Amino acid sequence: MRHPSNHLPSLKALQCFVAVAEELNFRRAADRLNMTQPPLSRQIQGLEDQLRVRLLRRDTHQVSLTPAGEAFHRDVHAVLKALDAAVGSVQQFVEDEPAAGGAPRIGLTSVVDFSLMPHLDALLSDPRFASGQALERAYSRQLVERVRRGRLDMAIVGDIAAPTEDLSVQALVRESMLVALPANHPAAGQDRLRLRDLGDTPLFWFPRADNPAFYDKCERVFRVQGYAPPRRLEPSDFTRLLAGVAAGEGLALCPASMRAASRIGVVYRALDEALEQLLGIQLQLVWRAAEARPAVLERIEMIRQAMAPHP
């Protein structure tokens, strides 16, 4: 008897199908997957040929799921979600080399543009500060776990949970949130926006697992404000996110420092002052509570000084 895995679709084909099934648009799906449309179309065609069933209806005007496609999408989505969870679970068993010696290893949250924080940027750009080590960028949750497991010595993150027995956390600075809007959005003509001004335009939003504390804070504000827009998965790359906003596919909330990334078709607007306070990101420095190495403690103090108020 032949093993069934010999006839299973590839992971790439499944990812392509889910993207098209959720976007119902080959161009947007290709952008989401960071690929062009021809290979995406070939993946879908190959998947349908392999399964010997039509999953999508396509014409010059629209894309829709067939009944078989709807059923397959539900199952494949569950499979990919389970696979992602499995990868996350097994990573806790990775035997990382502890950062016991050598230059301190430092992480930075990927959602903040530190170049707009002059004193901190000057410190991070100084080769003597990192001692030749590359600064690692990732989501805050990932950085915190890498500090906890010894892969990093310290990290600047945004809105993580309170300090724990094994981690020390210090608040550094609070960054305001802006709205990135399509330039032709009805609210683009206003200087400051309330959530109700955004209407039902889809919101590009991140998974809770990427930063549970900040996600929960924002969701509480959304509920109180009665803001419940359709959600679209936020691309991990900021350039792709802005491309989606420029194309009118949705809007995004982003840290004020990110407005340096300009894009034709995108405008940034401030939130009203009350919302700025409620939705701001608190940048924090995190390190292991038992840390005693002078080189690490010295750099922690250097970061504190760089983020202190300057005349």
Side-chain angles (χ1 to χ4, degrees):
M1 183 177 69
R2 291 178 297 181
H3 194 282
S5 64
N6 293 334
H7 304 282
L8 292 176
S10 69
L11 178 60
K12 182 65 174 180
L14 296 180
Q15 291 171 325
C16 288
F17 169 70
V18 168
V20 175
E22 293 178 352
E23 299 289 348
L24 294 179
N25 181 288
F26 273 77
R27 179 185 59 79
R28 290 198 299 265
D31 289 343
R32 171 171 160 179
L33 295 168
N34 197 26
M35 62 191 300
T36 58
Q37 291 186 51
L40 174 60
S41 296
R42 289 194 293 270
Q43 287 282 353
I44 299 299
Q45 185 62 58
L47 179 62
E48 291 181 323
D49 291 345
Q50 183 179 14
L51 298 176
R52 294 189 292 181
V53 65
R54 179 64 61 86
L55 300 172
L56 299 167
R57 299 187 187 93
R58 301 179 281 273
D59 59 36
T60 56
H61 302 292
Q62 64 180 4
V63 176
S64 62
L65 290 168
T66 65
E70 291 177 356
F72 192 58
H73 175 244
R74 287 193 297 270
D75 292 339
V76 170
H77 186 274
V79 168
L80 294 180
K81 185 176 180 180
L83 179 60
D84 185 62
V87 171
S89 295
V90 79
Q91 285 179 338
Q92 65 181 304
F93 298 104
V94 174
E95 295 183 0
D96 299 306
E97 287 292 328
R105 294 184 285 188
I106 303 164
L108 303 174
T109 175
S110 58
V111 300
V112 171
D113 185 351
F114 291 95
S115 69
L116 296 187
M117 302 176 186
H119 295 283
L120 180 60
D121 184 53
L123 176 64
L124 298 176
S125 302
D126 188 336
R128 294 169 296 180
F129 177 76
S131 300
Q133 292 276 3
L135 302 178
E136 184 171 334
R137 290 185 177 269
Y139 285 118
S140 295
R141 176 185 61 85
Q142 297 165 334
L143 294 174
V144 170
E145 287 308 309
R146 290 169 190 172
V147 172
R148 178 173 279 122
R149 298 202 304 262
R151 291 182 60 186
L152 293 172
D153 296 305
M154 69 193 78
I156 298 178
V157 300
D159 271 318
I160 67 166
T164 58
E165 288 186 2
D166 60 335
L167 292 178
S168 294
V169 179
Q170 178 174 339
L172 295 175
V173 68
R174 191 173 188 83
E175 179 155 33
S176 300
M177 296 291 282
L178 295 172
V179 183
L181 288 167
N184 60 357
H185 191 281
Q190 301 174 226
D191 292 330
R192 284 189 174 269
L193 302 179
R194 299 159 296 183
L195 292 179
R196 63 172 174 267
D197 297 326
L198 306 179
D200 59 357
T201 303
L203 171 68
F204 283 108
W205 204 230
F206 60 94
R208 183 179 184 276
D210 286 347
N211 192 331
F214 184 64
Y215 182 97
D216 290 344
K217 180 180 77 171
C218 291
E219 291 296 331
R220 287 193 295 269
V221 174
F222 292 168
R223 285 195 295 272
V224 171
Q225 298 279 331
Y227 181 56
R231 307 295 178 92
R232 296 176 65 87
L233 181 63
E234 182 179 272
S236 57
D237 179 75
F238 194 68
T239 301
R240 290 174 57 200
L241 173 62
L242 292 185
V245 174
E249 297 167 5
L251 55 84
L253 294 173
C254 58
S257 62
M258 300 305 285
R259 74 184 307 159
S262 61
R263 166 88 189 209
I264 295 175
V266 176
V267 296
Y268 296 98
R269 294 293 179 264
L271 293 165
D272 74 23
E273 294 180 0
L275 282 173
E276 278 189 339
Q277 293 299 315
L278 291 171
L279 294 178
I281 295 178
Q282 180 68 61
L283 291 184
Q284 300 163 310
L285 179 63
V286 57
W287 67 96
R288 286 183 296 282
E291 185 58 69
R293 286 169 293 159
V296 176
L297 297 179
E298 178 185 8
R299 283 161 176 78
I300 290 172
E301 183 58 30
M302 292 169 74
I303 292 174
R304 287 171 171 161
Q305 292 298 321
M307 297 300 289
H310 291 81

